PDB file of all heavy atoms in Angstrom:
ATOM      1  N   ALA A  11     -19.371  -9.225   6.685  1.00  0.00           N
ATOM      2  CA  ALA A  11     -19.580  -9.480   8.134  1.00  0.00           C
ATOM      3  C   ALA A  11     -19.763 -10.960   8.403  1.00  0.00           C
ATOM      4  O   ALA A  11     -19.195 -11.497   9.346  1.00  0.00           O
ATOM      5  CB  ALA A  11     -20.792  -8.664   8.614  1.00  0.00           C
ATOM      6  N   ILE A  12     -20.540 -11.624   7.545  1.00  0.00           N
ATOM      7  CA  ILE A  12     -20.793 -13.050   7.739  1.00  0.00           C
ATOM      8  C   ILE A  12     -19.550 -13.857   7.373  1.00  0.00           C
ATOM      9  O   ILE A  12     -19.133 -14.783   8.083  1.00  0.00           O
ATOM     10  CB  ILE A  12     -21.980 -13.504   6.876  1.00  0.00           C
ATOM     11  CG1 ILE A  12     -23.249 -12.785   7.303  1.00  0.00           C
ATOM     12  CG2 ILE A  12     -22.172 -14.996   6.916  1.00  0.00           C
ATOM     13  CD1 ILE A  12     -24.381 -12.944   6.310  1.00  0.00           C
ATOM     14  N   GLU A  13     -18.910 -13.504   6.273  1.00  0.00           N
ATOM     15  CA  GLU A  13     -17.758 -14.265   5.794  1.00  0.00           C
ATOM     16  C   GLU A  13     -16.553 -14.178   6.716  1.00  0.00           C
ATOM     17  O   GLU A  13     -15.752 -15.136   6.815  1.00  0.00           O
ATOM     18  CB  GLU A  13     -17.417 -13.795   4.377  1.00  0.00           C
ATOM     19  CG  GLU A  13     -16.526 -14.698   3.592  1.00  0.00           C
ATOM     20  CD  GLU A  13     -15.070 -14.420   3.766  1.00  0.00           C
ATOM     21  OE1 GLU A  13     -14.727 -13.321   4.289  1.00  0.00           O
ATOM     22  OE2 GLU A  13     -14.227 -15.259   3.347  1.00  0.00           O
ATOM     23  N   ALA A  14     -16.400 -13.051   7.421  1.00  0.00           N
ATOM     24  CA  ALA A  14     -15.280 -12.891   8.343  1.00  0.00           C
ATOM     25  C   ALA A  14     -15.276 -13.990   9.411  1.00  0.00           C
ATOM     26  O   ALA A  14     -14.225 -14.405   9.880  1.00  0.00           O
ATOM     27  CB  ALA A  14     -15.340 -11.507   8.961  1.00  0.00           C
ATOM     28  N   LYS A  15     -16.465 -14.415   9.799  1.00  0.00           N
ATOM     29  CA  LYS A  15     -16.583 -15.477  10.802  1.00  0.00           C
ATOM     30  C   LYS A  15     -16.460 -16.864  10.186  1.00  0.00           C
ATOM     31  O   LYS A  15     -15.760 -17.742  10.661  1.00  0.00           O
ATOM     32  CB  LYS A  15     -17.924 -15.357  11.550  1.00  0.00           C
ATOM     33  CG  LYS A  15     -18.085 -14.065  12.308  1.00  0.00           C
ATOM     34  CD  LYS A  15     -19.464 -13.955  12.950  1.00  0.00           C
ATOM     35  CE  LYS A  15     -19.663 -12.634  13.669  1.00  0.00           C
ATOM     36  NZ  LYS A  15     -21.018 -12.521  14.251  1.00  0.00           N
ATOM     37  N   ASN A  16     -17.132 -17.021   9.048  1.00  0.00           N
ATOM     38  CA  ASN A  16     -17.120 -18.333   8.380  1.00  0.00           C
ATOM     39  C   ASN A  16     -15.759 -18.739   7.863  1.00  0.00           C
ATOM     40  O   ASN A  16     -15.396 -19.918   7.862  1.00  0.00           O
ATOM     41  CB  ASN A  16     -18.126 -18.354   7.227  1.00  0.00           C
ATOM     42  CG  ASN A  16     -19.550 -18.369   7.702  1.00  0.00           C
ATOM     43  OD1 ASN A  16     -19.849 -18.712   8.856  1.00  0.00           O
ATOM     44  ND2 ASN A  16     -20.495 -18.046   6.799  1.00  0.00           N
ATOM     45  N   CYS A  17     -14.945 -17.756   7.449  1.00  0.00           N
ATOM     46  CA  CYS A  17     -13.645 -18.106   6.828  1.00  0.00           C
ATOM     47  C   CYS A  17     -12.693 -18.690   7.822  1.00  0.00           C
ATOM     48  O   CYS A  17     -11.669 -19.301   7.416  1.00  0.00           O
ATOM     49  CB  CYS A  17     -13.025 -16.884   6.155  1.00  0.00           C
ATOM     50  SG  CYS A  17     -12.289 -15.673   7.280  1.00  0.00           S
ATOM     51  N   LEU A  18     -12.969 -18.583   9.091  1.00  0.00           N
ATOM     52  CA  LEU A  18     -12.093 -19.149  10.121  1.00  0.00           C
ATOM     53  C   LEU A  18     -12.038 -20.670  10.044  1.00  0.00           C
ATOM     54  O   LEU A  18     -11.145 -21.324  10.559  1.00  0.00           O
ATOM     55  CB  LEU A  18     -12.545 -18.719  11.498  1.00  0.00           C
ATOM     56  CG  LEU A  18     -12.515 -17.226  11.789  1.00  0.00           C
ATOM     57  CD1 LEU A  18     -13.083 -16.967  13.195  1.00  0.00           C
ATOM     58  CD2 LEU A  18     -11.088 -16.678  11.695  1.00  0.00           C
ATOM     59  N   GLN A  19     -13.019 -21.260   9.288  1.00  0.00           N
ATOM     60  CA  GLN A  19     -13.068 -22.702   9.123  1.00  0.00           C
ATOM     61  C   GLN A  19     -12.289 -23.161   7.894  1.00  0.00           C
ATOM     62  O   GLN A  19     -12.117 -24.378   7.728  1.00  0.00           O
ATOM     63  CB  GLN A  19     -14.512 -23.145   8.936  1.00  0.00           C
ATOM     64  CG  GLN A  19     -15.475 -22.680  10.050  1.00  0.00           C
ATOM     65  CD  GLN A  19     -15.030 -23.116  11.430  1.00  0.00           C
ATOM     66  OE1 GLN A  19     -14.589 -24.273  11.629  1.00  0.00           O
ATOM     67  NE2 GLN A  19     -15.053 -22.178  12.380  1.00  0.00           N
ATOM     68  N   ALA A  20     -11.804 -22.250   7.110  1.00  0.00           N
ATOM     69  CA  ALA A  20     -11.115 -22.610   5.857  1.00  0.00           C
ATOM     70  C   ALA A  20      -9.797 -23.289   6.098  1.00  0.00           C
ATOM     71  O   ALA A  20      -9.131 -23.047   7.117  1.00  0.00           O
ATOM     72  CB  ALA A  20     -10.919 -21.364   4.993  1.00  0.00           C
ATOM     73  N   ARG A  21      -9.381 -24.110   5.157  1.00  0.00           N
ATOM     74  CA  ARG A  21      -8.117 -24.851   5.272  1.00  0.00           C
ATOM     75  C   ARG A  21      -7.311 -24.711   3.961  1.00  0.00           C
ATOM     76  O   ARG A  21      -7.884 -24.426   2.917  1.00  0.00           O
ATOM     77  CB  ARG A  21      -8.414 -26.342   5.517  1.00  0.00           C
ATOM     78  CG  ARG A  21      -9.076 -26.623   6.852  1.00  0.00           C
ATOM     79  CD  ARG A  21      -8.125 -26.341   8.017  1.00  0.00           C
ATOM     80  NE  ARG A  21      -8.711 -26.651   9.311  1.00  0.00           N
ATOM     81  CZ  ARG A  21      -9.408 -25.780  10.068  1.00  0.00           C
ATOM     82  NH1 ARG A  21      -9.574 -24.541   9.619  1.00  0.00           N
ATOM     83  NH2 ARG A  21      -9.878 -26.126  11.218  1.00  0.00           N
ATOM     84  N   PRO A  22      -6.006 -24.942   4.031  1.00  0.00           N
ATOM     85  CA  PRO A  22      -5.193 -24.874   2.792  1.00  0.00           C
ATOM     86  C   PRO A  22      -5.560 -25.979   1.858  1.00  0.00           C
ATOM     87  O   PRO A  22      -6.073 -27.081   2.278  1.00  0.00           O
ATOM     88  CB  PRO A  22      -3.767 -25.078   3.315  1.00  0.00           C
ATOM     89  CG  PRO A  22      -3.825 -24.845   4.785  1.00  0.00           C
ATOM     90  CD  PRO A  22      -5.195 -25.205   5.215  1.00  0.00           C
ATOM     91  N   PHE A  23      -5.338 -25.799   0.582  1.00  0.00           N
ATOM     92  CA  PHE A  23      -5.515 -26.848  -0.389  1.00  0.00           C
ATOM     93  C   PHE A  23      -4.517 -27.986  -0.139  1.00  0.00           C
ATOM     94  O   PHE A  23      -3.408 -27.750   0.341  1.00  0.00           O
ATOM     95  CB  PHE A  23      -5.312 -26.329  -1.828  1.00  0.00           C
ATOM     96  CG  PHE A  23      -6.495 -25.636  -2.369  1.00  0.00           C
ATOM     97  CD1 PHE A  23      -6.559 -24.233  -2.350  1.00  0.00           C
ATOM     98  CD2 PHE A  23      -7.546 -26.335  -2.927  1.00  0.00           C
ATOM     99  CE1 PHE A  23      -7.675 -23.573  -2.874  1.00  0.00           C
ATOM    100  CE2 PHE A  23      -8.642 -25.678  -3.465  1.00  0.00           C
ATOM    101  CZ  PHE A  23      -8.714 -24.286  -3.432  1.00  0.00           C
ATOM    102  N   PRO A  24      -4.909 -29.216  -0.440  1.00  0.00           N
ATOM    103  CA  PRO A  24      -3.967 -30.339  -0.307  1.00  0.00           C
ATOM    104  C   PRO A  24      -2.678 -30.084  -1.097  1.00  0.00           C
ATOM    105  O   PRO A  24      -2.744 -29.639  -2.223  1.00  0.00           O
ATOM    106  CB  PRO A  24      -4.777 -31.511  -0.891  1.00  0.00           C
ATOM    107  CG  PRO A  24      -6.195 -31.153  -0.715  1.00  0.00           C
ATOM    108  CD  PRO A  24      -6.248 -29.630  -0.912  1.00  0.00           C
ATOM    109  N   GLY A  25      -1.572 -30.406  -0.494  1.00  0.00           N
ATOM    110  CA  GLY A  25      -0.300 -30.265  -1.189  1.00  0.00           C
ATOM    111  C   GLY A  25       0.392 -28.920  -1.045  1.00  0.00           C
ATOM    112  O   GLY A  25       1.560 -28.799  -1.353  1.00  0.00           O
ATOM    113  N   ILE A  26      -0.352 -27.908  -0.551  1.00  0.00           N
ATOM    114  CA  ILE A  26       0.229 -26.564  -0.426  1.00  0.00           C
ATOM    115  C   ILE A  26       1.435 -26.571   0.526  1.00  0.00           C
ATOM    116  O   ILE A  26       2.476 -25.996   0.204  1.00  0.00           O
ATOM    117  CB  ILE A  26      -0.839 -25.549   0.077  1.00  0.00           C
ATOM    118  CG1 ILE A  26      -1.657 -25.034  -1.105  1.00  0.00           C
ATOM    119  CG2 ILE A  26      -0.181 -24.383   0.776  1.00  0.00           C
ATOM    120  CD1 ILE A  26      -0.918 -24.073  -2.018  1.00  0.00           C
ATOM    121  N   LYS A  27       1.278 -27.187   1.670  1.00  0.00           N
ATOM    122  CA  LYS A  27       2.356 -27.124   2.647  1.00  0.00           C
ATOM    123  C   LYS A  27       3.600 -27.808   2.130  1.00  0.00           C
ATOM    124  O   LYS A  27       4.749 -27.325   2.332  1.00  0.00           O
ATOM    125  CB  LYS A  27       1.939 -27.734   3.973  1.00  0.00           C
ATOM    126  CG  LYS A  27       2.908 -27.442   5.108  1.00  0.00           C
ATOM    127  CD  LYS A  27       2.317 -27.718   6.472  1.00  0.00           C
ATOM    128  CE  LYS A  27       3.277 -27.238   7.552  1.00  0.00           C
ATOM    129  NZ  LYS A  27       2.692 -27.370   8.899  1.00  0.00           N
ATOM    130  N   ASP A  28       3.474 -28.900   1.440  1.00  0.00           N
ATOM    131  CA  ASP A  28       4.603 -29.605   0.884  1.00  0.00           C
ATOM    132  C   ASP A  28       5.312 -28.757  -0.186  1.00  0.00           C
ATOM    133  O   ASP A  28       6.533 -28.648  -0.184  1.00  0.00           O
ATOM    134  CB  ASP A  28       4.182 -30.971   0.283  1.00  0.00           C
ATOM    135  CG  ASP A  28       3.810 -31.981   1.340  1.00  0.00           C
ATOM    136  OD1 ASP A  28       4.217 -31.815   2.515  1.00  0.00           O
ATOM    137  OD2 ASP A  28       3.092 -32.944   0.978  1.00  0.00           O
ATOM    138  N   PHE A  29       4.528 -28.165  -1.086  1.00  0.00           N
ATOM    139  CA  PHE A  29       5.109 -27.411  -2.163  1.00  0.00           C
ATOM    140  C   PHE A  29       5.737 -26.123  -1.645  1.00  0.00           C
ATOM    141  O   PHE A  29       6.860 -25.759  -1.995  1.00  0.00           O
ATOM    142  CB  PHE A  29       4.075 -27.090  -3.232  1.00  0.00           C
ATOM    143  CG  PHE A  29       4.626 -26.292  -4.389  1.00  0.00           C
ATOM    144  CD1 PHE A  29       5.786 -26.697  -5.054  1.00  0.00           C
ATOM    145  CD2 PHE A  29       4.002 -25.124  -4.793  1.00  0.00           C
ATOM    146  CE1 PHE A  29       6.284 -25.954  -6.126  1.00  0.00           C
ATOM    147  CE2 PHE A  29       4.507 -24.397  -5.837  1.00  0.00           C
ATOM    148  CZ  PHE A  29       5.660 -24.802  -6.527  1.00  0.00           C
ATOM    149  N   SER A  30       5.052 -25.407  -0.751  1.00  0.00           N
ATOM    150  CA  SER A  30       5.573 -24.165  -0.191  1.00  0.00           C
ATOM    151  C   SER A  30       6.848 -24.469   0.635  1.00  0.00           C
ATOM    152  O   SER A  30       7.803 -23.707   0.573  1.00  0.00           O
ATOM    153  CB  SER A  30       4.509 -23.498   0.669  1.00  0.00           C
ATOM    154  OG  SER A  30       4.970 -22.251   1.181  1.00  0.00           O
ATOM    155  N   GLY A  31       6.784 -25.567   1.386  1.00  0.00           N
ATOM    156  CA  GLY A  31       7.994 -25.930   2.142  1.00  0.00           C
ATOM    157  C   GLY A  31       9.176 -26.264   1.260  1.00  0.00           C
ATOM    158  O   GLY A  31      10.320 -25.955   1.562  1.00  0.00           O
ATOM    159  N   TYR A  32       8.860 -26.942   0.143  1.00  0.00           N
ATOM    160  CA  TYR A  32       9.918 -27.270  -0.801  1.00  0.00           C
ATOM    161  C   TYR A  32      10.548 -26.002  -1.390  1.00  0.00           C
ATOM    162  O   TYR A  32      11.790 -25.880  -1.427  1.00  0.00           O
ATOM    163  CB  TYR A  32       9.357 -28.119  -1.942  1.00  0.00           C
ATOM    164  CG  TYR A  32      10.329 -28.265  -3.074  1.00  0.00           C
ATOM    165  CD1 TYR A  32      11.410 -29.178  -3.041  1.00  0.00           C
ATOM    166  CD2 TYR A  32      10.206 -27.485  -4.241  1.00  0.00           C
ATOM    167  CE1 TYR A  32      12.298 -29.293  -4.089  1.00  0.00           C
ATOM    168  CE2 TYR A  32      11.085 -27.587  -5.308  1.00  0.00           C
ATOM    169  CZ  TYR A  32      12.151 -28.496  -5.213  1.00  0.00           C
ATOM    170  OH  TYR A  32      13.038 -28.585  -6.263  1.00  0.00           O
ATOM    171  N   LEU A  33       9.742 -25.042  -1.761  1.00  0.00           N
ATOM    172  CA  LEU A  33      10.259 -23.778  -2.278  1.00  0.00           C
ATOM    173  C   LEU A  33      11.171 -23.108  -1.259  1.00  0.00           C
ATOM    174  O   LEU A  33      12.260 -22.601  -1.597  1.00  0.00           O
ATOM    175  CB  LEU A  33       9.118 -22.851  -2.695  1.00  0.00           C
ATOM    176  CG  LEU A  33       8.251 -23.275  -3.883  1.00  0.00           C
ATOM    177  CD1 LEU A  33       7.127 -22.260  -4.096  1.00  0.00           C
ATOM    178  CD2 LEU A  33       9.108 -23.413  -5.158  1.00  0.00           C
ATOM    179  N   ALA A  34      10.711 -23.074   0.002  1.00  0.00           N
ATOM    180  CA  ALA A  34      11.517 -22.458   1.064  1.00  0.00           C
ATOM    181  C   ALA A  34      12.849 -23.176   1.214  1.00  0.00           C
ATOM    182  O   ALA A  34      13.882 -22.556   1.405  1.00  0.00           O
ATOM    183  CB  ALA A  34      10.742 -22.485   2.363  1.00  0.00           C
ATOM    184  N   SER A  35      12.826 -24.502   1.096  1.00  0.00           N
ATOM    185  CA  SER A  35      14.048 -25.277   1.274  1.00  0.00           C
ATOM    186  C   SER A  35      15.053 -25.024   0.128  1.00  0.00           C
ATOM    187  O   SER A  35      16.249 -25.267   0.300  1.00  0.00           O
ATOM    188  CB  SER A  35      13.741 -26.787   1.339  1.00  0.00           C
ATOM    189  OG  SER A  35      13.362 -27.289   0.042  1.00  0.00           O
ATOM    190  N   GLN A  36      14.546 -24.561  -1.015  1.00  0.00           N
ATOM    191  CA  GLN A  36      15.382 -24.258  -2.164  1.00  0.00           C
ATOM    192  C   GLN A  36      15.832 -22.783  -2.180  1.00  0.00           C
ATOM    193  O   GLN A  36      16.477 -22.367  -3.140  1.00  0.00           O
ATOM    194  CB  GLN A  36      14.626 -24.567  -3.465  1.00  0.00           C
ATOM    195  CG  GLN A  36      14.230 -26.040  -3.592  1.00  0.00           C
ATOM    196  CD  GLN A  36      15.392 -26.971  -3.566  1.00  0.00           C
ATOM    197  OE1 GLN A  36      16.322 -26.885  -4.316  1.00  0.00           O
ATOM    198  NE2 GLN A  36      15.389 -27.876  -2.565  1.00  0.00           N
ATOM    199  N   GLY A  37      15.530 -22.058  -1.129  1.00  0.00           N
ATOM    200  CA  GLY A  37      15.944 -20.670  -1.020  1.00  0.00           C
ATOM    201  C   GLY A  37      15.085 -19.676  -1.776  1.00  0.00           C
ATOM    202  O   GLY A  37      15.458 -18.514  -1.969  1.00  0.00           O
ATOM    203  N   CYS A  38      13.898 -20.114  -2.209  1.00  0.00           N
ATOM    204  CA  CYS A  38      12.984 -19.212  -2.947  1.00  0.00           C
ATOM    205  C   CYS A  38      12.260 -18.297  -1.940  1.00  0.00           C
ATOM    206  O   CYS A  38      11.986 -18.691  -0.822  1.00  0.00           O
ATOM    207  CB  CYS A  38      11.968 -20.008  -3.743  1.00  0.00           C
ATOM    208  SG  CYS A  38      12.670 -21.065  -5.018  1.00  0.00           S
ATOM    209  N   GLN A  39      11.934 -17.119  -2.396  1.00  0.00           N
ATOM    210  CA  GLN A  39      11.143 -16.195  -1.613  1.00  0.00           C
ATOM    211  C   GLN A  39       9.665 -16.331  -2.010  1.00  0.00           C
ATOM    212  O   GLN A  39       9.351 -16.493  -3.174  1.00  0.00           O
ATOM    213  CB  GLN A  39      11.564 -14.737  -1.834  1.00  0.00           C
ATOM    214  CG  GLN A  39      12.960 -14.400  -1.349  1.00  0.00           C
ATOM    215  CD  GLN A  39      13.220 -12.919  -1.402  1.00  0.00           C
ATOM    216  OE1 GLN A  39      13.138 -12.212  -0.402  1.00  0.00           O
ATOM    217  NE2 GLN A  39      13.551 -12.403  -2.554  1.00  0.00           N
ATOM    218  N   GLN A  40       8.787 -16.255  -0.996  1.00  0.00           N
ATOM    219  CA  GLN A  40       7.371 -16.338  -1.252  1.00  0.00           C
ATOM    220  C   GLN A  40       6.661 -15.127  -0.627  1.00  0.00           C
ATOM    221  O   GLN A  40       7.026 -14.676   0.453  1.00  0.00           O
ATOM    222  CB  GLN A  40       6.821 -17.634  -0.656  1.00  0.00           C
ATOM    223  CG  GLN A  40       7.424 -18.879  -1.315  1.00  0.00           C
ATOM    224  CD  GLN A  40       6.934 -20.154  -0.674  1.00  0.00           C
ATOM    225  OE1 GLN A  40       5.787 -20.567  -0.877  1.00  0.00           O
ATOM    226  NE2 GLN A  40       7.815 -20.805   0.096  1.00  0.00           N
ATOM    227  N   PHE A  41       5.644 -14.648  -1.347  1.00  0.00           N
ATOM    228  CA  PHE A  41       4.952 -13.435  -0.939  1.00  0.00           C
ATOM    229  C   PHE A  41       3.456 -13.643  -1.060  1.00  0.00           C
ATOM    230  O   PHE A  41       2.962 -14.342  -1.937  1.00  0.00           O
ATOM    231  CB  PHE A  41       5.365 -12.259  -1.837  1.00  0.00           C
ATOM    232  CG  PHE A  41       6.842 -11.977  -1.806  1.00  0.00           C
ATOM    233  CD1 PHE A  41       7.705 -12.569  -2.699  1.00  0.00           C
ATOM    234  CD2 PHE A  41       7.363 -11.095  -0.850  1.00  0.00           C
ATOM    235  CE1 PHE A  41       9.070 -12.321  -2.659  1.00  0.00           C
ATOM    236  CE2 PHE A  41       8.721 -10.840  -0.824  1.00  0.00           C
ATOM    237  CZ  PHE A  41       9.575 -11.453  -1.724  1.00  0.00           C
ATOM    238  N   LEU A  42       2.727 -13.005  -0.126  1.00  0.00           N
ATOM    239  CA  LEU A  42       1.274 -13.056  -0.137  1.00  0.00           C
ATOM    240  C   LEU A  42       0.763 -11.826  -0.872  1.00  0.00           C
ATOM    241  O   LEU A  42       1.215 -10.719  -0.608  1.00  0.00           O
ATOM    242  CB  LEU A  42       0.759 -13.062   1.301  1.00  0.00           C
ATOM    243  CG  LEU A  42      -0.757 -13.030   1.478  1.00  0.00           C
ATOM    244  CD1 LEU A  42      -1.420 -14.278   0.915  1.00  0.00           C
ATOM    245  CD2 LEU A  42      -1.093 -12.850   2.958  1.00  0.00           C
ATOM    246  N   LEU A  43      -0.194 -12.001  -1.767  1.00  0.00           N
ATOM    247  CA  LEU A  43      -0.750 -10.885  -2.495  1.00  0.00           C
ATOM    248  C   LEU A  43      -2.281 -11.099  -2.570  1.00  0.00           C
ATOM    249  O   LEU A  43      -2.748 -11.854  -3.425  1.00  0.00           O
ATOM    250  CB  LEU A  43      -0.131 -10.781  -3.879  1.00  0.00           C
ATOM    251  CG  LEU A  43      -0.129  -9.413  -4.532  1.00  0.00           C
ATOM    252  CD1 LEU A  43       0.886  -9.391  -5.679  1.00  0.00           C
ATOM    253  CD2 LEU A  43      -1.494  -9.012  -5.021  1.00  0.00           C
ATOM    254  N   THR A  44      -2.992 -10.481  -1.660  1.00  0.00           N
ATOM    255  CA  THR A  44      -4.407 -10.789  -1.520  1.00  0.00           C
ATOM    256  C   THR A  44      -5.287  -9.530  -1.311  1.00  0.00           C
ATOM    257  O   THR A  44      -4.808  -8.504  -0.787  1.00  0.00           O
ATOM    258  CB  THR A  44      -4.639 -11.731  -0.315  1.00  0.00           C
ATOM    259  OG1 THR A  44      -6.025 -12.019  -0.204  1.00  0.00           O
ATOM    260  CG2 THR A  44      -4.120 -11.126   0.986  1.00  0.00           C
ATOM    261  N   HIS A  45      -6.560  -9.666  -1.740  1.00  0.00           N
ATOM    262  CA  HIS A  45      -7.542  -8.622  -1.434  1.00  0.00           C
ATOM    263  C   HIS A  45      -8.113  -8.787  -0.033  1.00  0.00           C
ATOM    264  O   HIS A  45      -8.840  -7.929   0.439  1.00  0.00           O
ATOM    265  CB  HIS A  45      -8.682  -8.682  -2.439  1.00  0.00           C
ATOM    266  CG  HIS A  45      -8.257  -8.362  -3.837  1.00  0.00           C
ATOM    267  ND1 HIS A  45      -8.962  -8.762  -4.952  1.00  0.00           N
ATOM    268  CD2 HIS A  45      -7.226  -7.636  -4.327  1.00  0.00           C
ATOM    269  CE1 HIS A  45      -8.379  -8.305  -6.064  1.00  0.00           C
ATOM    270  NE2 HIS A  45      -7.295  -7.618  -5.702  1.00  0.00           N
ATOM    271  N   ARG A  46      -7.792  -9.893   0.597  1.00  0.00           N
ATOM    272  CA  ARG A  46      -8.277 -10.152   1.951  1.00  0.00           C
ATOM    273  C   ARG A  46      -7.494  -9.318   2.954  1.00  0.00           C
ATOM    274  O   ARG A  46      -6.354  -8.893   2.674  1.00  0.00           O
ATOM    275  CB  ARG A  46      -8.149 -11.655   2.288  1.00  0.00           C
ATOM    276  CG  ARG A  46      -8.746 -12.036   3.628  1.00  0.00           C
ATOM    277  CD  ARG A  46      -8.724 -13.534   3.837  1.00  0.00           C
ATOM    278  NE  ARG A  46      -9.726 -14.212   3.010  1.00  0.00           N
ATOM    279  CZ  ARG A  46     -10.979 -14.373   3.277  1.00  0.00           C
ATOM    280  NH1 ARG A  46     -11.454 -13.857   4.418  1.00  0.00           N
ATOM    281  NH2 ARG A  46     -11.791 -15.017   2.488  1.00  0.00           N
ATOM    282  N   ASN A  47      -8.029  -9.087   4.149  1.00  0.00           N
ATOM    283  CA  ASN A  47      -7.331  -8.316   5.160  1.00  0.00           C
ATOM    284  C   ASN A  47      -6.317  -9.147   5.944  1.00  0.00           C
ATOM    285  O   ASN A  47      -5.983 -10.260   5.538  1.00  0.00           O
ATOM    286  CB  ASN A  47      -8.357  -7.628   6.083  1.00  0.00           C
ATOM    287  CG  ASN A  47      -9.252  -8.630   6.793  1.00  0.00           C
ATOM    288  OD1 ASN A  47      -8.880  -9.804   6.956  1.00  0.00           O
ATOM    289  ND2 ASN A  47     -10.376  -8.172   7.250  1.00  0.00           N
ATOM    290  N   GLN A  48      -5.930  -8.605   7.083  1.00  0.00           N
ATOM    291  CA  GLN A  48      -4.866  -9.264   7.887  1.00  0.00           C
ATOM    292  C   GLN A  48      -5.277 -10.671   8.321  1.00  0.00           C
ATOM    293  O   GLN A  48      -4.390 -11.467   8.714  1.00  0.00           O
ATOM    294  CB  GLN A  48      -4.655  -8.394   9.151  1.00  0.00           C
ATOM    295  CG  GLN A  48      -3.439  -8.768   9.958  1.00  0.00           C
ATOM    296  CD  GLN A  48      -2.116  -8.430   9.266  1.00  0.00           C
ATOM    297  OE1 GLN A  48      -2.126  -7.582   8.356  1.00  0.00           O
ATOM    298  NE2 GLN A  48      -1.045  -9.054   9.684  1.00  0.00           N
ATOM    299  N   SER A  49      -6.516 -11.021   8.230  1.00  0.00           N
ATOM    300  CA  SER A  49      -6.937 -12.384   8.595  1.00  0.00           C
ATOM    301  C   SER A  49      -6.224 -13.443   7.755  1.00  0.00           C
ATOM    302  O   SER A  49      -6.072 -14.601   8.198  1.00  0.00           O
ATOM    303  CB  SER A  49      -8.463 -12.547   8.430  1.00  0.00           C
ATOM    304  OG  SER A  49      -8.840 -12.402   7.072  1.00  0.00           O
ATOM    305  N   ALA A  50      -5.779 -13.085   6.570  1.00  0.00           N
ATOM    306  CA  ALA A  50      -5.064 -14.047   5.747  1.00  0.00           C
ATOM    307  C   ALA A  50      -3.768 -14.484   6.410  1.00  0.00           C
ATOM    308  O   ALA A  50      -3.407 -15.682   6.427  1.00  0.00           O
ATOM    309  CB  ALA A  50      -4.762 -13.429   4.370  1.00  0.00           C
TER     310      ALA A  50
END
C-alpha cells in the first residue's frame, strides 16, 4: 500500500533510454517481465 504511492517517484537507470532505443532501431523486440502490476 505504501510502496504503490512511493514508486511513482522512481526513474529509469541512466543509459536505459539510449540502450533501449538503440535496440529498437536495430529491429530487436523488447518485452517486460515483472512481478509488479500494471503500474510498470
